[in-house]
Amino acid sequence: MRHLLAIAAALVLFVLTVALTGWADWQELRRGKNWNVTHSQQPEGELAGVRIFVDQGRAMILPAAPERAIVYLRLGAQGDPQLMREWLGCDLGVTDGQGRKWLPLSNLAGIEIVRLLGDGSGTEPGCPQSLNLPPEDGSPSFSGQAFLVPAGVLDDLRVELSGMATRPDAISLPFRPVLQPPPG
């Protein structure tokens, strides 16, 4: 009986040790993911005092890879410049109805997609820059992102956005990119 009490005490102490040392990690995991996603039915919504809207969306299916589509997304953000800076950047992704998520391309291919489908300059700021450097007059700040997604999901895309300071809250906006023919 004495051995059972010692084992039970050791087990209780082990559980308490794991709980106490893991608490900070669990809290970080909870804050690092979008748990409370607000699904808007319109291509605009508000999160943490900032109005977010889909300004443009374009897609292209290249003949060399007909199963994939390149997507250009131009987001707008508008609100108090101080509130926008308090987001501390953004966590941005494109999702489909099955819950799959694609992150923006931040390499040379992404710059070329923004140049090809965007305004032509290829130098549009990304989402973090548009939030950190908003116009002081309160006008919208725009950002361009490029994605590579399966061609079959173009009619079922949503953009999911949160900031480091807004998590676990996020917003999900629908968008249907306009399909453009490849350059000929």
Side-chain angles (χ1 to χ4, degrees):
M1 184 67 163
R2 192 173 218 203
H3 294 307
L4 287 176
L5 285 175
I7 291 172
L11 185 60
V12 167
L13 290 174
F14 175 73
V15 168
L16 284 174
T17 302
V18 168
L20 289 175
T21 57
W23 181 257
D25 292 335
W26 183 79
Q27 291 294 331
E28 185 177 330
L29 174 66
R30 188 180 67 81
R31 285 189 303 269
K33 186 160 172 39
N34 297 332
W35 296 100
N36 304 324
V37 181
T38 302
H39 291 271
S40 174
Q41 299 306 317
Q42 302 299 320
E44 69 176 75
E46 185 173 314
L47 178 64
V50 177
R51 179 178 159 253
I52 304 295
F53 58 96
V54 175
D55 186 56
Q56 296 176 19
R58 297 188 190 108
M60 185 180 295
I61 299 173
L62 300 175
E67 72 282 353
R68 296 281 180 202
I70 55 175
V71 175
Y72 165 76
L73 170 66
R74 186 171 187 215
L75 280 178
Q78 186 175 21
D80 178 17
Q82 183 59 35
L83 283 177
M84 291 172 70
R85 283 189 283 273
E86 287 175 3
W87 276 41
L88 303 172
C90 56
D91 178 17
L92 173 69
V94 170
T95 62
D96 68 356
Q98 297 176 15
R100 297 179 294 180
K101 186 174 185 176
W102 296 273
L103 300 176
L105 299 172
S106 59
N107 55 11
L108 186 56
I111 294 170
E112 285 301 313
I113 292 169
V114 170
R115 185 191 59 73
L116 181 66
L117 294 175
D119 64 4
S121 70
T123 59
E124 291 186 63
C127 185
Q129 294 89 0
S130 69
L131 287 171
N132 288 323
L133 301 169
E136 292 298 325
D137 64 358
S139 61
S141 178
F142 296 99
S143 64
Q145 285 77 220
F147 299 89
L148 180 65
V149 301
V153 301
L154 289 178
D155 292 335
D156 191 27
L157 290 177
R158 298 185 71 85
V159 59
E160 187 175 297
L161 177 70
S162 68
M164 289 185 348
T166 68
R167 279 185 229 126
D169 296 328
I171 191 162
S172 176
L173 307 172
F175 82 100
R176 179 175 277 175
V178 176
L179 195 58
Q180 295 188 339

